[in-house]
Amino acid sequence: MFEQLQQLPADPILGLMGLFARDANPHKVDLGVGVYKTETGLTPVLDAIKRAEQALVAEQTSKVYVGPAGNLAFLQSMMVLLLGEHQAQNLQPRLATLQTPGGCGALRVAAELIKKARPEASIWVSDPTWGNHIPLLGNAGIRIKTYPYFDASRNALAVDAMMDALSQVPAGDLVLLHGCCHNPTGVDLQPAHWQQIADLAAQRGFVPFVDMAYQGFGEGLDEDAYGLRLLMAQLPEVLFAVSCSKNFGLYRERVGLVGLLNHTAAGATAVMSHLTSIVRGIYSMPPDHGAELVARVLQSPELTALWRQELVDMRERIQGLRMAFVAGMNSRGAAGRFDFIAQQRGMFSFLGLSEAQVAQLAKISSIYLLGSSRASIAGLNHANLGYVCDAVARII
Ligand code: LMR
């Protein structure tokens, strides 16, 4: 029965991890998958998480099921982190939230919810968007459409084209927005853009769907939630998917949540019953471990302070690398060409190279980035920066 299945090509992002691992060149550099790395190339367990984990191991008395909605303390603390104390409290009756296996789980459960509510709806995603958005949402059977986002000639937001496209989105469709640290471009919406989108959503009747995978990696925890908070304050319905992989360093623990701000409290209760029924039919209940760690960090003032500092350190290190890369390229005869990288935020930027140049970088120098020339900036460090700049300067 299964012998008819043909081998599929590797996933464009995860496949790079395998290529990198198999490369024997001691100078190899991984700028592929979006994981934070230290100066020595490690993706560490954060100290705040380690301490929460030690306490959890010592104190946990049961591994009984948590239920389909997941860890309630996690959900409550995360909503405060996302919305701030005041807005989280005000909107709480209209919110349906459910813990999911990672941000990917959140996106997929959201897609299943959309299918139940309005199977004919389309989701509009930015062009470009994170490669896995399309399979996560599309494999659920939802139609995907795109809106322009990135102007490659200026390495900047294609703001007019984007707003033109969004002003045509019909009522009942959804518009997927990256809450901060746009993946793959590193180009974020500014406060005025969020307001324009909120106005368009109100006029047209589309529902914003915010993917928040990097809160704290852009400008700061509150600054990065600006857009989500604004939409939540002004619109009757907002769908959101959240990942704790990057900001809590919990990648493999698969910690995330899906939520919907509803018109009414009764609507939120109904949506909650659908969310729990959807996940009961897929994986039944989420794993608890990572979510419990996040809850413990966010409910302890001491661990929260430690975690916030660790997050600042990660963000500032990436920002420092952005500036060091630009300086490195400027001093290698590419003055001005890469300045935009220092203005962009989060884990990624496009280097503006062709696919052939990207392939050459891998072949000649064992430097791995996505074919689109998306580079995960955290893969740079002061030991490999000169090597990478030399290699890029050679091929441009
Ligand atoms: C990335 O974009 O590299 C990360 O979000 C990891 C992934 O799962 O694709």
Side-chain angles (χ1 to χ4, degrees):
M1 166 179 174
F2 299 109
E3 72 274 12
Q4 60 183 337
L5 295 178
Q6 303 294 313
Q7 184 175 353
L8 294 173
D11 175 88
I13 297 178
L14 303 185
L16 273 187
M17 290 168 77
L19 288 180
F20 179 77
R22 288 193 291 277
D23 190 327
N25 183 346
H27 301 294
K28 65 184 177 179
V29 181
D30 181 10
L31 305 181
V33 68
V35 296
Y36 178 78
K37 290 187 185 147
T38 61
E39 196 48 32
T40 52
L42 292 175
T43 303
V45 180
L46 300 184
D47 284 342
I49 291 292
K50 257 280 180 262
R51 286 179 49 185
E53 201 157 39
Q54 279 154 1
L56 173 62
V57 168
E59 292 162 18
Q60 195 169 47
T61 52
S62 175
K63 293 281 187 195
V64 75
Y65 295 124
V66 286
N71 185 313
L72 302 184
F74 162 78
L75 290 169
Q76 202 188 1
S77 317
M78 282 299 294
M79 289 320 297
V80 172
L81 187 70
L82 287 163
L83 302 183
E85 192 91 47
H86 183 68
Q87 194 179 38
Q89 199 174 355
N90 282 350
L91 296 181
Q92 194 276 328
R94 288 170 51 210
L95 282 169
T97 55
L98 178 128
Q99 182 206 328
T100 53
C104 289
L107 288 158
R108 183 51 183 261
V109 171
E112 297 292 342
L113 183 71
I114 294 165
K115 217 167 60 182
K116 284 201 168 203
R118 200 166 184 277
E120 67 279 21
S122 296
I123 302 182
W124 295 70
V125 303
S126 62
D127 177 17
T129 194
W130 175 45
N132 209 25
H133 274 148
I134 316 279
L136 278 169
L137 303 169
N139 288 357
I142 311 263
R143 196 168 338 120
I144 308 280
K145 293 184 175 161
T146 60
Y147 60 89
Y149 188 83
F150 185 64
D151 178 351
S153 66
R154 296 183 302 117
N155 293 299
L157 190 69
V159 63
D160 293 339
M162 174 175 87
M163 295 304 172
D164 274 357
L166 296 186
S167 65
Q168 308 298 321
V169 173
D173 277 3
L174 293 104
V175 173
L176 186 71
L177 301 154
H178 299 221
C180 63
C181 304
H182 186 270
N183 178 2
T185 66
V187 174
D188 277 346
L189 299 172
Q190 297 307 307
H193 305 136
W194 285 107
Q195 186 57 60
Q196 260 178 293
I197 293 171
D199 293 343
L200 285 173
Q203 277 161 27
R204 302 288 308 169
F206 64 75
V207 178
F209 177 4
V210 179
D211 184 2
M212 183 68 93
Y214 295 90
Q215 190 185 0
F217 268 77
E219 299 285 348
L221 283 165
D222 291 322
E223 295 85 340
D224 292 353
Y226 179 92
L228 177 66
R229 293 176 186 182
L230 180 136
L231 298 174
M232 298 281 246
Q234 299 185 12
L235 295 170
E237 282 186 329
V238 179
L239 186 58
F240 51 100
V242 181
S243 167
C244 298
S245 295
K246 323 284 156 114
N247 53 5
F248 287 90
L250 281 168
Y251 308 88
R252 68 172 63 164
E253 298 293 355
R254 312 310 298 137
V255 190
L257 70 92
V258 62
L260 180 79
L261 175 69
N262 215 282
H263 288 265
T264 62
T269 307
V271 165
M272 199 60 212
S273 73
H274 282 273
L275 287 173
T276 51
S277 144
I278 288 166
V279 304
R280 182 73 172 138
I282 312 177
Y283 55 79
S284 189
M285 291 170 226
D288 180 60
H289 187 75
E292 175 64 19
L293 297 178
V294 171
R296 281 173 179 254
V297 168
L298 293 179
Q299 291 185 343
S300 150
E302 197 195 334
L303 292 187
T304 298
L306 176 58
W307 168 68
R308 280 178 172 257
Q309 188 53 51
E310 293 188 281
L311 188 54
V312 169
D313 294 346
M314 291 195 281
R315 177 173 70 241
E316 290 185 347
R317 193 180 113 73
I318 294 178
Q319 211 44 42
L321 288 167
R322 287 180 173 278
M323 292 192 291
F325 178 75
V326 173
M329 293 313 298
N330 285 350
S331 68
R332 284 167 176 79
R337 175 165 172 167
F338 292 96
D339 285 358
F340 63 92
I341 289 183
Q343 318 306 325
Q344 296 175 348
R345 290 291 176 268
M347 205 84 106
F348 311 107
S349 280
F350 281 145
L351 297 191
L353 307 177
S354 68
E355 264 199 75
Q357 287 172 319
V358 169
Q360 249 184 304
L361 273 181
K363 193 166 165 214
I364 300 171
S365 310
S366 300
I367 297 171
Y368 292 88
L369 45 150
L370 300 195
S372 59
S373 89
R374 186 197 81 166
S376 179
I377 304 292
L380 293 171
N381 55 52
H382 288 95
N384 67 23
L385 191 81
Y387 176 76
V388 172
C389 290
D390 284 342
V392 174
R394 261 197 311 274
I395 58 152
I396 58 176

